[in-house]
Amino acid sequence: MAKIHELSENLTNQIAAGEVIERPASVVKELVENSIDAGASRIRVDFVDAGLKEIVVQDNGSGIARDQIDLAFTRHATSKINNEHDLFNVSTLGFRGEALASISAVAHVEIVTSSGDEIGTRAEFSGGVKKSQEDSAAQKGSKITVRDLFFNTPARLKYLRSPRTETMKIVDIINRLALGYPQIAITLSNKGKILLRTPGNGKLDQTVANVYGRHIAEKMVAISQKDADFEISGLISKPELTRSTRNFISILLNGRYIHNFKLNTAIMEGYGSKLAVKHYPIAVINIKVDPLLVDVNVHPTKQEVRLSKEKELSRLITSAISDSLIARTEEISGFENLNNKRETLVDQLKFNLNKNVVDTSRSLEVPEVNDEPFQAEEISPKKEEKVVTKYVDLNLPRNDSRYVITPTWNENVTKQKQLTPFSEGKTTSDIISDGDETVAHKMPELIYLGQMTSYILAKNQNNLFLVDKLALERRLAFERIYQALSAKKIVQQGLLTPLVLEFGNLDFMQIKEKIEDINKLGIFLEDFGQDSFIIRSYPTWIKGDIEQSLRSILDRFLNKNKNVNNFFKDIAASQAKKEISTHNLSDAEASNLLEKLRLTSDPYHDAEGNLVLVRVSANDLRKMFKKDE
C-alpha cells in the first residue's frame, strides 16, 4: 500500500484553483464580485489577449488594510462569515475565501490597495508565494493585476477555447454582473477599447440598453410581482424579439447570477404559446429572497444554488411574465398563427358550406319552445305551438337527405385528403394525383375566369380553382427575392444619409466575426466603433423601413443555425411576408400571375406554408348539388 502523506500548501492551492479558476473569465468573475462585496460604486476591468496575458480590476471599494494582505491571500480566510450560522445567511457574492489564494497559485498577482485611513500598500504574489510588500501611494479601493495566467500549469491551457470565445466569456460574465447591479458603474475594455460602460444610476432599462443595445431595450417589458417569500422584478423581451439559445436569460438571485433549469422553464411557460419553437426570450429576472431560504454553498463557483421553495418561485415567475404579456393586448398568440398553416381538407372546403357560395339552408317547421338545438323527436302533433322558420346546423350529420353533410361525409373526406393540393405532411411528389399530367411541384395550366375582392377564379378541364391573391403575390415575391440573394452580384441602392446601427457588445462581436457571411446577403457593414456599424447602401430586395428590416435580418442571422442557402430562404420568406395586395388586377394581370405561379418551385403554398389555391373537382360539385341522387 502506498504511504499516506500530507500534500504541500502549494499543491493544495493549485488543486483548489482547478475548481474555482477554470478560465480567464473565472478570474474576472471572482475579482469583480470581491469589488462588489467591498461596496464599490465604480469598477473598471481591462484585459489583454483574452485575459491570459493580463487582467486588471480596479474599484473604489473599502480596500484592504496593510496587516490584512497576507490573510486575504490565504485559503479559507474571509471577512464575510464568522460561524456556521452565517453560512446559511449569506448576503455577499463571495464567502469561501478561495478566490485570491486560487488566482495567485496559477498566476503572477500584484495588488495595490488602501482603506483610506492610511498610506496604501503594494504586494506581489506568484505561484501561491508572496514575493514582496511595500508602502505605495493609492486611492481608496483596490487595483489587482493578474498576469501570465496558468504559467505554472500549462496543461490547463489546452482546455481553453479560441481567444474570441474566451473573450466572449469575459464579456458575458461582466454583462450579467452589470445587469444584477445597475447601481454600480462598470467599465469593461479590451486593450483599452471599451466593450461596455454602464451609467451606474440604478436604472435597469438603461443598463440593458448599454449591454444589449438601445433597440433591444425599447422592446423590453417590465415585470413585477411578489408574495410572502419572494419579490420578482426585471425586464423581458416582447415575444417577437427572441434568440436561438437560452444564453440571453439572466436569473439574478439577490444579485447573484445563477443557473437553474426549473426557473428557466418557468420563464418559458410564462410566454405560453407566444414563442416559436426553439426560440428563447431576452430576460433579466431579479429575485429578492430571504438568504435563509437559499443554500449557495453547493458549488465552488456559486452559480448553482439550492432553493427551499422552488415550486412556489417558479409559479410566481410564470405568473409575473404572463400577466405582463396579457396586458399587451395588441399581441397575437403564436398558437393562433399556427391555424393559418396547411390545414385539413375539411377546413379548406368550408367554402362549400358557406351560404355565399351555395345556399344549403333548408327551412323546417319547428316549434319555438326554447333555444336548444332542434331534435326531431321533440315535435309533438298533440301540441299547438307557434311555428317559425329556423335553419338547421349544417355541422350535424343526419340520416335523411335534408343536409349536405351525410353519414358518409367523413369517409369521403378521408379519400379526398389524398388529392392535390390538400394532403398534409406529404411532399409535393406524393400529393399529385394520378390523373395530373404535370410533374412534381408543378400545376396544370389554369384558364382565367374572373376574380373577387381577394380571390382569382380559374379552371382546368373540369376542375375549378380558387387562388388567394395575397398568397400568390407572396409566393412570387419569395421566388424573386431568393433569386436575387442567390445571384453572384446583388443590386444595391445607395443611401443619401448613411445609417448607423448600434448593437450590444456580444451581438457586435458575433456580427463582426461573421461579416463575410453577412456580405453574401448584399449587406455591407463597416465598423464604426463603440459597438456600432455604418451602412451606406442596401440590397434592392429589402422593402419597407430600411433600418427595421436590416435589424430584423441581422437578428435572424444571429439566431441562424442553418447553412447559408437555407438561411437565404428564411430571409426571402420573411421579406415576402411584407407583400400586401392593395390593388385590383386587370384580367391580363391576373392571367399573367397565374402563369408565373405555375412556374414556381411550389405553386400550392407560399413561403410560410399557407395555401395559395384550392381545387374543387367536378365530383365535388356533383356531390354539392346532389346530382348523383
Side-chain angles (χ1 to χ4, degrees), residues 547-557 571 574 578:
E547 180 176 358
Q548 182 179 352
S549 295
L550 286 171
R551 287 195 179 278
S552 175
I553 292 167
L554 292 173
D555 278 344
R556 285 174 171 267
F557 191 89
I571 293 297
S574 68
K578 299 180 180 180

Side-chain angles (χ1 to χ4, degrees), residues 96-257:
R96 289 170 172 262
E98 296 175 293
L100 292 178
S102 297
I103 294 169
S104 65
V106 292
H108 305 301
V109 179
E110 177 189 81
I111 179 171
V112 178
T113 183
S114 173
S115 59
D117 298 329
E118 53 187 10
I119 191 169
T121 305
R122 175 182 176 276
E124 292 184 347
F125 295 81
S126 179
V129 178
K130 184 178 180 181
K131 297 297 184 180
S132 66
Q133 179 173 328
E134 60 186 7
D135 293 342
S136 175
Q139 296 179 347
K140 183 182 178 181
S142 300
K143 178 181 180 182
I144 298 178
T145 304
V146 179
R147 298 186 179 92
D148 301 327
L149 187 61
F150 303 132
F151 79 97
N152 56 351
T153 55
R156 299 283 300 279
L157 297 174
K158 68 180 181 180
Y159 296 105
L160 299 181
R161 306 290 291 275
S162 68
R164 185 185 75 88
T165 300
E166 295 301 329
T167 297
M168 293 181 67
K169 293 285 186 182
I170 294 175
V171 173
D172 184 59
I173 286 291
I174 295 299
N175 283 350
R176 297 187 197 277
L177 287 169
L179 293 171
Y181 293 87
Q183 71 275 19
I184 300 177
I186 297 178
T187 302
L188 174 67
S189 62
N190 180 11
K191 295 182 180 179
K193 180 181 179 181
I194 301 297
L195 300 180
L196 173 68
R197 180 184 283 127
T198 63
N201 56 9
K203 296 181 179 179
L204 181 59
D205 55 347
Q206 291 188 18
T207 303
V208 169
N210 282 274
V211 172
Y212 294 131
R214 178 178 53 82
H215 72 288
I216 287 181
E218 291 172 348
K219 295 183 179 180
M220 302 290 276
V221 179
I223 63 170
S224 179
Q225 203 158 120
K226 64 180 179 178
D227 61 11
D229 299 306
F230 304 98
E231 183 178 344
I232 308 295
S233 63
L235 296 170
I236 58 172
S237 64
K238 297 178 182 179
E240 65 266 21
L241 178 62
T242 60
R243 290 291 184 266
S244 60
T245 70
R246 293 185 176 91
N247 293 341
F248 288 80
I249 297 177
S250 297
I251 301 175
L252 302 155
L253 187 68
N254 290 340
R256 183 191 306 277
Y257 168 62

Side-chain angles (χ1 to χ4, degrees), residues 436-564:
D436 243 335
E437 69 277 11
T438 57
V439 296
H441 293 305
K442 301 300 177 184
M443 69 177 187
E445 184 176 358
L446 300 183
I447 300 175
Y448 171 77
L449 296 178
Q451 57 184 301
M452 299 155 51
T453 303
S454 302
Y455 303 97
I456 297 174
L457 279 67
K459 72 172 185 177
N460 173 266
Q461 296 180 354
N462 292 325
N463 298 319
L464 174 66
F465 288 82
L466 289 177
V467 184
D468 186 327
K469 288 183 184 178
L470 180 58
L472 182 154
E473 293 187 7
R474 286 180 174 176
R475 162 49 64 178
L476 296 179
F478 168 81
E479 299 281 339
R480 182 179 67 254
I481 295 170
Y482 181 65
Q483 289 178 7
L485 283 168
S486 303
K488 292 183 178 180
K489 185 176 181 180
I490 299 177
V491 180
Q492 296 284 311
Q493 172 66 51
L495 288 166
L496 293 177
T497 303
L499 189 62
V500 178
L501 303 177
E502 298 177 352
F503 293 91
N505 45 33
L506 282 176
D507 286 349
F508 176 83
M509 293 171 68
Q510 291 185 57
I511 291 173
K512 191 171 182 180
E513 182 71 17
K514 301 173 181 177
I515 199 75
E516 292 183 1
D517 287 338
I518 296 176
N519 289 343
K520 294 178 181 178
L521 299 174
I523 300 174
F524 300 100
L525 303 172
E526 301 176 27
D527 190 345
F528 200 57
Q530 292 298 314
D531 298 336
S532 62
F533 294 100
I534 187 171
I535 184 168
R536 305 180 189 278
S537 64
Y538 64 92
T540 54
W541 52 262
I542 293 181
K543 305 296 182 183
D545 184 273
I546 302 303
E547 180 176 358
Q548 182 179 352
S549 295
L550 286 171
R551 287 195 179 278
S552 175
I553 292 167
L554 292 173
D555 278 344
R556 285 174 171 267
F557 191 89
L558 292 172
N559 287 334
K560 86 180 184 73
N561 51 9
K562 305 175 182 178
N563 60 43
V564 173

